[in-house]
Amino acid sequence: MRLVIQRVSHASVTIDGVCKSAIKKGFMILVGIEEADTKEDAEWLCRKVIGLRVFDDEEGIMNKSVTDINGEILIVSQFTLMASTKKGNRPSYIKAARHETAIPLYEYFCNEVSKGLGKPVGTGEFGADMKVELLNDGPVTILIDSKNKE
């Protein structure tokens, strides 16, 4: 699993002109899932997200987690994160998980993050054409891949 985590002042996802989810200060997370990913990958990433200290403390040092600031999280599936660009100019998405694998794992990840956060997370809609808006705060953007645990 691959995550792009952005520290945001606010973020939202809109589908067919209707706002599906919106958050204030916290994380906007894009999630890419490949066939080989497991619940263990989701659980490891969940712990990383909840513990990630990228919010400023009283001295302006990035030392607080999303739970420390009572922040919110919006999680959106994005199969294009699994793109391979090794050959040519047209990305290949062969590594991206099929719906049968990706949907349950995406939902599991969202539920685990919600538990860790102690409140519901905002989500997109798997496979929908979504319009994502956000104000990246910092900017702070972090890439975490469960295949690079070491």
Side-chain angles (χ1 to χ4, degrees), residues 19 73 92 120 126 130 133 135 138-139 146 148:
C19 182
I73 297 178
S92 167
F126 200 93
M130 297 175 274
E133 291 186 60
L135 180 58
S146 64
N148 297 326

Side-chain angles (χ1 to χ4, degrees), residues 54-65:
V54 295
F55 294 92
D56 291 349
D57 64 15
E58 295 71 24
E59 282 110 42
I61 308 292
M62 288 197 295
N63 202 28
K64 289 191 172 189
S65 70

Side-chain angles (χ1 to χ4, degrees), residues 18 23 33 37-38 54-55 57 62-63 68 82 98 105 112 116 127 132:
V18 177
I23 64 165
I33 300 170
D37 289 328
T38 65
V54 295
F55 294 92
D57 64 15
M62 288 197 295
N63 202 28
D68 292 336
M82 304 318 293
R98 294 183 308 264
L105 199 50
E112 290 299 299
V132 178

Side-chain angles (χ1 to χ4, degrees), residues 57-124:
D57 64 15
E58 295 71 24
E59 282 110 42
I61 308 292
M62 288 197 295
N63 202 28
K64 289 191 172 189
S65 70
V66 68
T67 56
D68 292 336
I69 65 150
N70 196 30
E72 299 178 287
I73 297 178
L74 175 58
I75 304 172
V76 174
S77 64
Q78 188 173 4
F79 79 94
T80 59
L81 287 179
M82 304 318 293
S84 173
T85 57
K86 289 182 180 179
K87 290 188 196 173
N89 293 320
R90 183 175 179 173
S92 167
Y93 303 106
I94 194 122
K95 288 179 83 175
R98 294 183 308 264
H99 282 66
E100 309 80 66
T101 301
I103 292 172
L105 199 50
Y106 168 74
E107 291 173 351
Y108 181 77
F109 177 72
C110 291
N111 288 332
E112 290 299 299
V113 172
S114 180
K115 284 185 212 170
L117 188 61
K119 58 184 161 185
V121 297
T123 62

